Amino acid sequence: MDFDDTPEEAEFRAKARAWLEAEKPDDLLQELVAAEASSEPAKRTVGLIRASKAWQQRKFAGGWACLSWPKDFGGRGATPIERVIWDQEESRYAALSTIFQIGHGMCGRR
């Protein structure tokens, strides 16, 4: 079985990687770590939500939020393999996206 990217998939991966490199949310990851260090559950929750929402807003502004949603509904109209590629590339920032996965999947995936 061949797991190499097709030329189109490689192009998509390169675009995703370039955007992530330009917009990497290291500041938001630091905010998330600081929130998780709190001994107060409410502060942890608020910090997680704040950092995750900020990352989601950045992704939306760049056209990378809700990839598989139709373009008419704010998505990218991405194929299933493009979604996998994005998830692979974004994986180092997964803690910032986890909070929205169920909602995005249940509300907007085809």
Side-chain angles (χ1 to χ4, degrees), residues 16-32 47-67 83 86-87 89-101 104:
R17 219 176 252 173
W19 187 84
L20 284 164
E21 185 57 33
E23 298 294 328
K24 58 185 163 198
D26 292 337
D27 58 322
L28 299 175
L29 286 176
Q30 290 173 356
E31 186 178 329
L32 187 64
L48 168 65
I49 292 170
R50 184 180 304 125
S52 296
K53 284 176 72 174
W55 180 229
Q56 187 66 22
Q57 289 170 339
R58 284 187 199 176
K59 290 193 308 183
F60 179 77
W64 294 98
C66 301
L67 268 73
R83 179 66 201 191
W86 172 260
D87 288 345
E89 294 301 319
E90 189 193 22
S91 64
R92 73 189 111 189
Y93 309 118
L96 292 168
S97 295
T98 304
I99 195 170
F100 295 112
Q101 283 179 336
H104 289 168

Side-chain angles (χ1 to χ4, degrees), residues 39-51:
S39 61
E40 298 178 45
K43 283 188 178 181
R44 285 196 304 268
T45 301
V46 168
L48 168 65
I49 292 170
R50 184 180 304 125

